[in-house]
Amino acid sequence: MEALRDVDPARIGAHVLLARLGAGGMGQVYLGRSPGGRLVAVKVIRDEITGHPEALARFRREAETVRAVRSAYTANLIDASLAAAPYWLATEYVAGPTLGHAVAERGGLPAPTCRRLFAALAEGLASVHAYGVTHRDLKPQNVVLGVQGPQLIDFGIARGVGETALTQDGQAPGTPGYTAPEVLLGAGAGAAADVFALGATLAYAATGRPPFGTGVAATVGYRVVHEPIDVVGVEPELAALIRACVVKDPAARPDPAEVIRRCGVRDALIDDPVYVGLGVLGEAVPVHEMRTQGPGLVHGYTPTQGAPVAEVPARRRRPGVWVAAGVALAVVGAVAVWELPWGGQGGQGGEGSRADGQEQGRSPAVQTPAGQTPAGQSPGPAAQSPAGPPTYIRQTEPNLDDYDPIHRSCTRTGGEDGILDFQTSLPRTTDDPQLKSGRVEISFRVKNALPDAQPYYVAVVVKPQHEVDENGRSTAVTDNRQLGFVAKAQDLYEGDEVEWKSVTYPDDFSMQLNGRTVKAPPLSQDPGGWTVVFRHAISDTEHTRLLCDGFDSGLQKG
């Protein structure tokens, strides 16, 4: 939960806004208060994707699904505006962390807690299925641990029986590692696919590890179809139930009622001390003072509107707080517009809480990451290390970012968050002349630089699919956790505010590996998806992920 910002409206429809809950590919989620004092979660679709018929169809489907399903395991729909922009829906607010966030903080849960959680989620699925709806994206990030038990959220790709599926670029619905093998192979996502996702979700809860490992979506998907789930160290009976839920043949999986029976639960989940210790009581709701400035003082709200200049502190006076796509460039490749912190040192990037894992939708030229900065951590002036400004950043932890060229998205998304207009440019299609030439220009800039901004260094990292050895040759390791090849960090605010900073792969890139400088190899050495990560560099050893993107080289070895 974060404090509201100057660009946020004071109300959406009749609901007074209290705080930010998170953000996802579809929109921003706020904590609000209804006219009668009820707490609600208000999801507002992003202005930049309102022109996309598929995005609107998915948002409307989510609202209609939530309206139709009246379950103790789902948040009921309170209000919605679906006829014209701005599009939004308000549901009951469920206090508590997501299962993904709780396990990431604590680690794997003990078997008794997992059984109680298993049974509760199975009962929730049975309730949803009774309405003829399949969730299709059950995963730890879409389970909120509430005081009465777990709640299923994010029905953005849920589907009723007989409805036509909505997909993007041929992408299977769901999330890598939790999507059933039959769905990956082109079959429909039925109730058995939800049971598979339930088993995978509980494997994560029990182990604290991704159920089918990490890597690009294609690699994880291959494991889902052909390899067993990771339940190493899990209590044998619980592991057996998880394996039963994720068998490759959907007809052989137990139904939710059988899952509940095999869990053998005899007491309430809320009586489990481990469950209560995960923070299910939620955060304290902030005391709201009606704001006298900022947009949205009347009913209705357009996310592209910024706060009136006269009411914004001097350091934040600049036009175009939220920028639409469509800037003409001399640089070949599509342009992405991102939200990054104000000038200076950013807070540590990290995965969100409530909105973790929401679909990372993107339009052809606009994308907004879902990462968040903790409440109250507005970036301040840049703090350089005693050694001076950063030059070539070095690896300090595994780099888990991976670009999937099929789905055109990264396995991990998000990072630092804010409202500064950061634009990037790199090739998007395999027939791009740059990719054919083997030399790729990667550019970035801030469109509306602040005149008094402190230095803010950005380093570009390019990572192939395979790890490399000390001679720069590809190894057999496809789960590449090396930092990647890096270019010299550049000050985002140096020069004119519309000046693009550019680096060229492989010319400007190298890697420090075991004390040796390894030159970047040609694209032809590792055909397929290449990951591009922009990192905020405070020093060579202190740097934070801003955003992840990538491109498909489309090259063949030979």
Side-chain angles (χ1 to χ4, degrees), residues 35-105:
R38 189 175 191 176
L39 291 179
V40 294
V42 184
K43 184 175 182 179
V44 184
I45 194 170
R46 293 190 185 282
D47 182 62
E48 61 262 32
I49 64 174
T50 56
H52 293 266
E54 181 179 286
L56 288 178
R58 290 181 70 170
F59 191 73
R60 286 171 175 148
R61 169 175 285 175
E62 178 177 7
E64 293 307 315
T65 300
V66 176
R67 189 193 307 275
V69 176
R70 310 292 290 185
S71 167
Y73 295 93
T74 61
N76 291 327
L77 185 72
I78 303 299
D79 197 3
S81 176
L82 306 174
Y87 303 94
W88 56 271
L89 61 87
T91 63
E92 293 175 307
Y93 170 64
V94 181
T98 65
L99 176 61
H101 181 74
V103 173
E105 290 288 321

Side-chain angles (χ1 to χ4, degrees), residues 231-255:
V231 286
V232 175
V234 178
E235 186 268 328
E237 289 186 5
L238 178 61
L241 179 54
I242 291 172
R243 282 194 290 263
C245 290
V246 299
V247 295
K248 309 305 181 186
D249 179 6
R253 295 172 199 150
D255 62 17

Side-chain angles (χ1 to χ4, degrees), residues 69 124-133:
V69 176
L125 277 184
S127 177
V128 171
H129 292 170
Y131 285 88
V133 172

Side-chain angles (χ1 to χ4, degrees), residues 336-362:
V337 183
W338 310 82
E339 301 169 6
L340 295 182
W342 299 105
Q345 178 182 352
Q348 292 298 310
E351 307 308 319
S353 52
R354 171 96 182 223
D356 281 0
Q358 291 187 11
E359 68 235 33
Q360 302 301 316
R362 65 182 298 166

